[in-house]
Amino acid sequence: MYADPPAPQPLQPGEAPPQGRSSGLPSPETATAWQFNPDYQRLVVLWQQVLPMLETLTSCLDRAYQMARSRDVWDAPVGDRYVEDLTEWRARLGQYRQAVLTSISDQAADTPRWVPADAGAPHAFS
């Protein structure tokens, strides 16, 4: 079993934007108005949507695995092969879970939490 990577943290009550340095030159560090990055917020929401789905899949597969291992349910050589299949499915689900959550976590680590609200940066095809 893998440990989940760190989750992106939602905007906390009372959290303030970063304080800019006053160098006199306009830059993202000296911006006066900041907003919580909408792209980062989408990653927070995505994590909150995906995690319960993965938990549901894991718990359903674990329940089937426990039932298959019980000799009260199935006591035959084919039952052992079924348990082996379930073991493989559980391993694949664990790897899938790790890949999905790591992808979201890595993207959140590369995405700034706060962006200047009045950057006025040009956008392609605007």
Side-chain angles (χ1 to χ4, degrees), residues 4 10 16-17 27 30-31 36 39 45 50 53-54 56 58 64 70 73 85 98 101-103 106-107 120-122:
D4 289 342
S27 69
T30 61
F36 195 71
D39 292 335
V45 170
V50 165
M53 291 181 205
L54 291 171
T56 301
T58 301
S70 170
V73 176
D85 287 346
Q98 185 71 20
L101 295 181
T102 299
S103 175
D106 288 350
Q107 186 67 34

Side-chain angles (χ1 to χ4, degrees), residues 29-80:
E29 289 81 24
T30 61
T32 56
W34 292 87
Q35 69 179 5
F36 195 71
N37 191 346
D39 292 335
Y40 190 89
Q41 181 61 34
R42 283 188 209 104
L43 293 169
V44 170
V45 170
L46 181 63
W47 182 282
Q48 293 170 346
Q49 290 174 343
V50 165
L51 192 60
M53 291 181 205
L54 291 171
E55 292 290 337
T56 301
L57 287 171
T58 301
S59 66
C60 289
L61 197 53
D62 286 346
R63 194 173 28 222
Y65 176 74
Q66 293 302 325
M67 289 174 58
R69 287 188 51 194
S70 170
R71 294 297 174 194
D72 295 337
V73 176
W74 203 344
D75 189 13
V78 72
D80 294 334

Side-chain angles (χ1 to χ4, degrees), residues 77-111:
V78 72
D80 294 334
R81 289 193 303 269
Y82 186 66
V83 169
E84 290 173 9
D85 287 346
L86 284 174
T87 302
E88 177 65 26
W89 296 341
R90 289 174 73 211
R92 287 183 185 182
L93 180 59
Q95 291 171 345
Y96 178 74
R97 175 187 177 116
Q98 185 71 20
V100 169
L101 295 181
T102 299
S103 175
I104 296 170
S105 181
D106 288 350
Q107 186 67 34
D110 292 341
T111 304

Side-chain angles (χ1 to χ4, degrees), residues 113-125:
R113 288 176 57 82
W114 294 91
V115 292
D118 58 351
H123 298 287
F125 307 109

